[in-house]
């Protein structure tokens, strides 16, 4: 959807909130979204503030919650008017939602073809505009070779669906993050090693490990990740040929461990979150 936060109809939002909020809570929300103003800034000049009656004010923790509530109500309308699903979809969630990105899931391309224009029409009645140019169609099928499986390169929430493809992309992004701070890494006489390692752990490691809990890497992929991590650590502490250092000595000096250990820990944490989900979550269906 385009500019989704700015299209919320506040009177409809309040009508939805009335169905489950206490009167005092509803009064607080009404006060927070009332009498809001906007101004336009262009070329260093700012316009006179003007009142706005749609959208939810952004920049606080309440805005995304209000948007999710509004979107959920709109999607319930979509599903209420949707055609019957295929029996093969009984074990699949009907949608996957994060903020203003919504995926409809089905084994039937014909059902999805019927739902797409319907969703645009119903959501339009709630005011959000479904952007046809941003709408993607992803078909998950096994092919004879990985190159033909185009779905592997589909990006969802910053990650590629294919594990190997996403790991390769994460290494590329981590390399770019590392190089962006190269002027700092090479000043070894001015920036002590301990500080360089702390900065590496704060700015490069999170890029490399983003969403790693969803990976299912092979032993070869884990070895390649460990090798990539080791090269960056050696570069960070200034170990270059003909100098050498064993992996054990490298990890001890850097107070680090193989990156595959972090991936394994992230997977266990994700598994733990799933196990601790309360009964009745959509993911349990």
């Amino acid at each position: 959807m385009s500019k989704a936060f700015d299209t919320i109809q506040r009177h409809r939002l309040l009508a939805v909130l009335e169905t489950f909020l206490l009167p005092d809570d509803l009064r607080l929300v009404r006060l927070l979204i009332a009498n809001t103003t906007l101004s336009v800034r262009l070329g260093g000049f700012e316009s006179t503030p003007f009142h706005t009656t749609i959208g939810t004010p952004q920049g606080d923790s309440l805005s995304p919650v209000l948007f999710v509530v509004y979107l959920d109500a709109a999607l319930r309308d979509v599903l209420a008017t949707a055609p019957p699903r295929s029996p093969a979809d009984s074990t699949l969630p009907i949608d996957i939602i994060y903020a203003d990105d919504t995926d409809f899931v089905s084994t039937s391309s014909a059902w999805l073809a019927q739902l797409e224009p319907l969703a645009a029409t119903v959501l339009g009645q709630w005011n959000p505009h479904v952007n046809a140019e941003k709408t993607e169609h992803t078909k998950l099928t096994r092919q004879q070779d990985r190159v033909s499986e185009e779905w592997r390169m589909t990006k969802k929430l910053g990650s590629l669906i294919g594990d190997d493809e996403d790991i390769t992309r994460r290494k590329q992004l981590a390399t770019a993050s590392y190089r962006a701070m190269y002027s700092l890494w090479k000043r070894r006489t001015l920036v002590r090693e301990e500080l360089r390692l702390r900065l590496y752990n704060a700015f490069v490691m999170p890029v490399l490990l983003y969403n790693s809990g969803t990976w299912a890497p092979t032993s070869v992929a884990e070895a390649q990740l460990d090798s990539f991590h080791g090269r960056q650590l050696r570069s960070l502490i200034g170990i270059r040929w003909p100098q050498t250092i064993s992996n054990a000595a490298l990890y001890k000096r850097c107070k680090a461990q193989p990156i595959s250990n972090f991936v394994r820990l992230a997977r266990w944490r994700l598994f733990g979150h799933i196990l601790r989900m309360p009964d009745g979550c959509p993911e349990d269906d």
Side-chain angles (χ1 to χ4, degrees), residues 234-247:
R234 285 178 172 84
S235 173
L236 190 68
I237 63 177
I239 300 295
R240 291 186 175 85
W241 181 260
Q243 294 176 298
T244 59
I245 185 173
S246 67
N247 287 337

mmCIF file with all atom_site columns, all heavy atoms in Angstrom, residues 234-247:
data_model
loop_
_atom_site.group_PDB
_atom_site.id
_atom_site.type_symbol
_atom_site.label_atom_id
_atom_site.label_alt_id
_atom_site.label_comp_id
_atom_site.label_asym_id
_atom_site.label_entity_id
_atom_site.label_seq_id
_atom_site.pdbx_PDB_ins_code
_atom_site.Cartn_x
_atom_site.Cartn_y
_atom_site.Cartn_z
_atom_site.occupancy
_atom_site.B_iso_or_equiv
_atom_site.pdbx_formal_charge
_atom_site.auth_seq_id
_atom_site.auth_comp_id
_atom_site.auth_asym_id
_atom_site.auth_atom_id
_atom_site.pdbx_PDB_model_num
ATOM 1   N N   . ARG A 1 234 ? 40.698 -11.028 10.987 1.00 0.00 ? 234 ARG A N   1
ATOM 2   C CA  . ARG A 1 234 ? 42.136 -10.917 10.713 1.00 0.00 ? 234 ARG A CA  1
ATOM 3   C C   . ARG A 1 234 ? 42.482 -9.547  10.150 1.00 0.00 ? 234 ARG A C   1
ATOM 4   O O   . ARG A 1 234 ? 43.487 -8.933  10.522 1.00 0.00 ? 234 ARG A O   1
ATOM 5   C CB  . ARG A 1 234 ? 42.573 -12.022 9.747  1.00 0.00 ? 234 ARG A CB  1
ATOM 6   C CG  . ARG A 1 234 ? 42.680 -13.404 10.381 1.00 0.00 ? 234 ARG A CG  1
ATOM 7   C CD  . ARG A 1 234 ? 43.078 -14.469 9.340  1.00 0.00 ? 234 ARG A CD  1
ATOM 8   N NE  . ARG A 1 234 ? 43.357 -15.742 9.974  1.00 0.00 ? 234 ARG A NE  1
ATOM 9   C CZ  . ARG A 1 234 ? 42.445 -16.642 10.289 1.00 0.00 ? 234 ARG A CZ  1
ATOM 10  N NH1 . ARG A 1 234 ? 41.158 -16.399 10.019 1.00 0.00 ? 234 ARG A NH1 1
ATOM 11  N NH2 . ARG A 1 234 ? 42.795 -17.773 10.877 1.00 0.00 ? 234 ARG A NH2 1
ATOM 12  N N   . SER A 1 235 ? 41.640 -9.061  9.231  1.00 0.00 ? 235 SER A N   1
ATOM 13  C CA  . SER A 1 235 ? 41.860 -7.727  8.675  1.00 0.00 ? 235 SER A CA  1
ATOM 14  C C   . SER A 1 235 ? 41.736 -6.665  9.756  1.00 0.00 ? 235 SER A C   1
ATOM 15  O O   . SER A 1 235 ? 42.503 -5.691  9.784  1.00 0.00 ? 235 SER A O   1
ATOM 16  C CB  . SER A 1 235 ? 40.853 -7.467  7.552  1.00 0.00 ? 235 SER A CB  1
ATOM 17  O OG  . SER A 1 235 ? 40.934 -6.137  7.092  1.00 0.00 ? 235 SER A OG  1
ATOM 18  N N   . LEU A 1 236 ? 40.804 -6.868  10.660 1.00 0.00 ? 236 LEU A N   1
ATOM 19  C CA  . LEU A 1 236 ? 40.546 -5.882  11.704 1.00 0.00 ? 236 LEU A CA  1
ATOM 20  C C   . LEU A 1 236 ? 41.738 -5.720  12.641 1.00 0.00 ? 236 LEU A C   1
ATOM 21  O O   . LEU A 1 236 ? 42.062 -4.608  13.071 1.00 0.00 ? 236 LEU A O   1
ATOM 22  C CB  . LEU A 1 236 ? 39.307 -6.304  12.504 1.00 0.00 ? 236 LEU A CB  1
ATOM 23  C CG  . LEU A 1 236 ? 38.729 -5.296  13.484 1.00 0.00 ? 236 LEU A CG  1
ATOM 24  C CD1 . LEU A 1 236 ? 38.130 -4.121  12.737 1.00 0.00 ? 236 LEU A CD1 1
ATOM 25  C CD2 . LEU A 1 236 ? 37.662 -5.945  14.352 1.00 0.00 ? 236 LEU A CD2 1
ATOM 26  N N   . ILE A 1 237 ? 42.391 -6.828  12.967 1.00 0.00 ? 237 ILE A N   1
ATOM 27  C CA  . ILE A 1 237 ? 43.530 -6.761  13.903 1.00 0.00 ? 237 ILE A CA  1
ATOM 28  C C   . ILE A 1 237 ? 44.867 -6.660  13.172 1.00 0.00 ? 237 ILE A C   1
ATOM 29  O O   . ILE A 1 237 ? 45.925 -6.655  13.810 1.00 0.00 ? 237 ILE A O   1
ATOM 30  C CB  . ILE A 1 237 ? 43.543 -7.971  14.848 1.00 0.00 ? 237 ILE A CB  1
ATOM 31  C CG1 . ILE A 1 237 ? 43.730 -9.279  14.079 1.00 0.00 ? 237 ILE A CG1 1
ATOM 32  C CG2 . ILE A 1 237 ? 42.256 -8.012  15.673 1.00 0.00 ? 237 ILE A CG2 1
ATOM 33  C CD1 . ILE A 1 237 ? 43.828 -10.515 14.974 1.00 0.00 ? 237 ILE A CD1 1
ATOM 34  N N   . GLY A 1 238 ? 44.828 -6.580  11.822 1.00 0.00 ? 238 GLY A N   1
ATOM 35  C CA  . GLY A 1 238 ? 46.049 -6.337  11.066 1.00 0.00 ? 238 GLY A CA  1
ATOM 36  C C   . GLY A 1 238 ? 46.891 -7.549  10.766 1.00 0.00 ? 238 GLY A C   1
ATOM 37  O O   . GLY A 1 238 ? 48.105 -7.438  10.585 1.00 0.00 ? 238 GLY A O   1
ATOM 38  N N   . ILE A 1 239 ? 46.271 -8.711  10.679 1.00 0.00 ? 239 ILE A N   1
ATOM 39  C CA  . ILE A 1 239 ? 47.004 -9.927  10.336 1.00 0.00 ? 239 ILE A CA  1
ATOM 40  C C   . ILE A 1 239 ? 46.929 -10.130 8.829  1.00 0.00 ? 239 ILE A C   1
ATOM 41  O O   . ILE A 1 239 ? 45.866 -10.390 8.269  1.00 0.00 ? 239 ILE A O   1
ATOM 42  C CB  . ILE A 1 239 ? 46.418 -11.166 11.057 1.00 0.00 ? 239 ILE A CB  1
ATOM 43  C CG1 . ILE A 1 239 ? 46.486 -10.982 12.560 1.00 0.00 ? 239 ILE A CG1 1
ATOM 44  C CG2 . ILE A 1 239 ? 47.158 -12.431 10.630 1.00 0.00 ? 239 ILE A CG2 1
ATOM 45  C CD1 . ILE A 1 239 ? 47.891 -10.910 13.117 1.00 0.00 ? 239 ILE A CD1 1
ATOM 46  N N   . ARG A 1 240 ? 48.065 -9.992  8.147  1.00 0.00 ? 240 ARG A N   1
ATOM 47  C CA  . ARG A 1 240 ? 48.133 -10.176 6.698  1.00 0.00 ? 240 ARG A CA  1
ATOM 48  C C   . ARG A 1 240 ? 49.338 -11.042 6.358  1.00 0.00 ? 240 ARG A C   1
ATOM 49  O O   . ARG A 1 240 ? 50.318 -11.073 7.094  1.00 0.00 ? 240 ARG A O   1
ATOM 50  C CB  . ARG A 1 240 ? 48.238 -8.822  5.974  1.00 0.00 ? 240 ARG A CB  1
ATOM 51  C CG  . ARG A 1 240 ? 46.969 -7.978  6.053  1.00 0.00 ? 240 ARG A CG  1
ATOM 52  C CD  . ARG A 1 240 ? 47.111 -6.724  5.181  1.00 0.00 ? 240 ARG A CD  1
ATOM 53  N NE  . ARG A 1 240 ? 45.865 -5.963  5.137  1.00 0.00 ? 240 ARG A NE  1
ATOM 54  C CZ  . ARG A 1 240 ? 45.505 -5.075  6.043  1.00 0.00 ? 240 ARG A CZ  1
ATOM 55  N NH1 . ARG A 1 240 ? 46.300 -4.834  7.092  1.00 0.00 ? 240 ARG A NH1 1
ATOM 56  N NH2 . ARG A 1 240 ? 44.363 -4.425  5.937  1.00 0.00 ? 240 ARG A NH2 1
ATOM 57  N N   . TRP A 1 241 ? 49.239 -11.726 5.224  1.00 0.00 ? 241 TRP A N   1
ATOM 58  C CA  . TRP A 1 241 ? 50.341 -12.555 4.760  1.00 0.00 ? 241 TRP A CA  1
ATOM 59  C C   . TRP A 1 241 ? 51.619 -11.722 4.632  1.00 0.00 ? 241 TRP A C   1
ATOM 60  O O   . TRP A 1 241 ? 51.556 -10.585 4.186  1.00 0.00 ? 241 TRP A O   1
ATOM 61  C CB  . TRP A 1 241 ? 49.971 -13.181 3.400  1.00 0.00 ? 241 TRP A CB  1
ATOM 62  C CG  . TRP A 1 241 ? 51.045 -14.078 2.851  1.00 0.00 ? 241 TRP A CG  1
ATOM 63  C CD1 . TRP A 1 241 ? 51.966 -13.770 1.892  1.00 0.00 ? 241 TRP A CD1 1
ATOM 64  C CD2 . TRP A 1 241 ? 51.311 -15.410 3.256  1.00 0.00 ? 241 TRP A CD2 1
ATOM 65  N NE1 . TRP A 1 241 ? 52.788 -14.826 1.672  1.00 0.00 ? 241 TRP A NE1 1
ATOM 66  C CE2 . TRP A 1 241 ? 52.414 -15.860 2.497  1.00 0.00 ? 241 TRP A CE2 1
ATOM 67  C CE3 . TRP A 1 241 ? 50.737 -16.261 4.195  1.00 0.00 ? 241 TRP A CE3 1
ATOM 68  C CZ2 . TRP A 1 241 ? 52.945 -17.136 2.637  1.00 0.00 ? 241 TRP A CZ2 1
ATOM 69  C CZ3 . TRP A 1 241 ? 51.261 -17.530 4.331  1.00 0.00 ? 241 TRP A CZ3 1
ATOM 70  C CH2 . TRP A 1 241 ? 52.358 -17.967 3.555  1.00 0.00 ? 241 TRP A CH2 1
ATOM 71  N N   . PRO A 1 242 ? 52.764 -12.206 5.128  1.00 0.00 ? 242 PRO A N   1
ATOM 72  C CA  . PRO A 1 242 ? 53.063 -13.585 5.546  1.00 0.00 ? 242 PRO A CA  1
ATOM 73  C C   . PRO A 1 242 ? 52.719 -13.898 7.015  1.00 0.00 ? 242 PRO A C   1
ATOM 74  O O   . PRO A 1 242 ? 53.011 -14.986 7.490  1.00 0.00 ? 242 PRO A O   1
ATOM 75  C CB  . PRO A 1 242 ? 54.553 -13.717 5.310  1.00 0.00 ? 242 PRO A CB  1
ATOM 76  C CG  . PRO A 1 242 ? 55.050 -12.334 5.560  1.00 0.00 ? 242 PRO A CG  1
ATOM 77  C CD  . PRO A 1 242 ? 53.993 -11.398 5.064  1.00 0.00 ? 242 PRO A CD  1
ATOM 78  N N   . GLN A 1 243 ? 52.095 -12.958 7.721  1.00 0.00 ? 243 GLN A N   1
ATOM 79  C CA  . GLN A 1 243 ? 51.684 -13.267 9.089  1.00 0.00 ? 243 GLN A CA  1
ATOM 80  C C   . GLN A 1 243 ? 50.530 -14.268 9.072  1.00 0.00 ? 243 GLN A C   1
ATOM 81  O O   . GLN A 1 243 ? 49.680 -14.228 8.186  1.00 0.00 ? 243 GLN A O   1
ATOM 82  C CB  . GLN A 1 243 ? 51.230 -11.994 9.815  1.00 0.00 ? 243 GLN A CB  1
ATOM 83  C CG  . GLN A 1 243 ? 52.323 -10.965 10.060 1.00 0.00 ? 243 GLN A CG  1
ATOM 84  C CD  . GLN A 1 243 ? 51.760 -9.714  10.703 1.00 0.00 ? 243 GLN A CD  1
ATOM 85  O OE1 . GLN A 1 243 ? 50.921 -9.025  10.116 1.00 0.00 ? 243 GLN A OE1 1
ATOM 86  N NE2 . GLN A 1 243 ? 52.194 -9.433  11.913 1.00 0.00 ? 243 GLN A NE2 1
ATOM 87  N N   . THR A 1 244 ? 50.494 -15.135 10.039 1.00 0.00 ? 244 THR A N   1
ATOM 88  C CA  . THR A 1 244 ? 49.404 -16.102 10.158 1.00 0.00 ? 244 THR A CA  1
ATOM 89  C C   . THR A 1 244 ? 48.986 -16.212 11.615 1.00 0.00 ? 244 THR A C   1
ATOM 90  O O   . THR A 1 244 ? 49.742 -15.865 12.524 1.00 0.00 ? 244 THR A O   1
ATOM 91  C CB  . THR A 1 244 ? 49.830 -17.499 9.652  1.00 0.00 ? 244 THR A CB  1
ATOM 92  O OG1 . THR A 1 244 ? 50.960 -17.959 10.429 1.00 0.00 ? 244 THR A OG1 1
ATOM 93  C CG2 . THR A 1 244 ? 50.199 -17.468 8.179  1.00 0.00 ? 244 THR A CG2 1
ATOM 94  N N   . ILE A 1 245 ? 47.773 -16.679 11.812 1.00 0.00 ? 245 ILE A N   1
ATOM 95  C CA  . ILE A 1 245 ? 47.255 -16.915 13.153 1.00 0.00 ? 245 ILE A CA  1
ATOM 96  C C   . ILE A 1 245 ? 46.199 -18.013 13.042 1.00 0.00 ? 245 ILE A C   1
ATOM 97  O O   . ILE A 1 245 ? 45.396 -18.024 12.098 1.00 0.00 ? 245 ILE A O   1
ATOM 98  C CB  . ILE A 1 245 ? 46.651 -15.632 13.763 1.00 0.00 ? 245 ILE A CB  1
ATOM 99  C CG1 . ILE A 1 245 ? 46.217 -15.866 15.214 1.00 0.00 ? 245 ILE A CG1 1
ATOM 100 C CG2 . ILE A 1 245 ? 45.510 -15.104 12.930 1.00 0.00 ? 245 ILE A CG2 1
ATOM 101 C CD1 . ILE A 1 245 ? 45.771 -14.587 15.934 1.00 0.00 ? 245 ILE A CD1 1
ATOM 102 N N   . SER A 1 246 ? 46.215 -18.952 13.957 1.00 0.00 ? 246 SER A N   1
ATOM 103 C CA  . SER A 1 246 ? 45.250 -20.044 13.909 1.00 0.00 ? 246 SER A CA  1
ATOM 104 C C   . SER A 1 246 ? 43.863 -19.528 14.278 1.00 0.00 ? 246 SER A C   1
ATOM 105 O O   . SER A 1 246 ? 43.717 -18.473 14.906 1.00 0.00 ? 246 SER A O   1
ATOM 106 C CB  . SER A 1 246 ? 45.664 -21.166 14.861 1.00 0.00 ? 246 SER A CB  1
ATOM 107 O OG  . SER A 1 246 ? 45.578 -20.715 16.205 1.00 0.00 ? 246 SER A OG  1
ATOM 108 N N   . ASN A 1 247 ? 42.858 -20.290 13.895 1.00 0.00 ? 247 ASN A N   1
ATOM 109 C CA  . ASN A 1 247 ? 41.490 -19.890 14.222 1.00 0.00 ? 247 ASN A CA  1
ATOM 110 C C   . ASN A 1 247 ? 41.287 -19.812 15.734 1.00 0.00 ? 247 ASN A C   1
ATOM 111 O O   . ASN A 1 247 ? 40.650 -18.879 16.236 1.00 0.00 ? 247 ASN A O   1
ATOM 112 C CB  . ASN A 1 247 ? 40.491 -20.878 13.617 1.00 0.00 ? 247 ASN A CB  1
ATOM 113 C CG  . ASN A 1 247 ? 40.372 -20.723 12.106 1.00 0.00 ? 247 ASN A CG  1
ATOM 114 O OD1 . ASN A 1 247 ? 40.667 -19.663 11.555 1.00 0.00 ? 247 ASN A OD1 1
ATOM 115 N ND2 . ASN A 1 247 ? 39.942 -21.776 11.438 1.00 0.00 ? 247 ASN A ND2 1
#
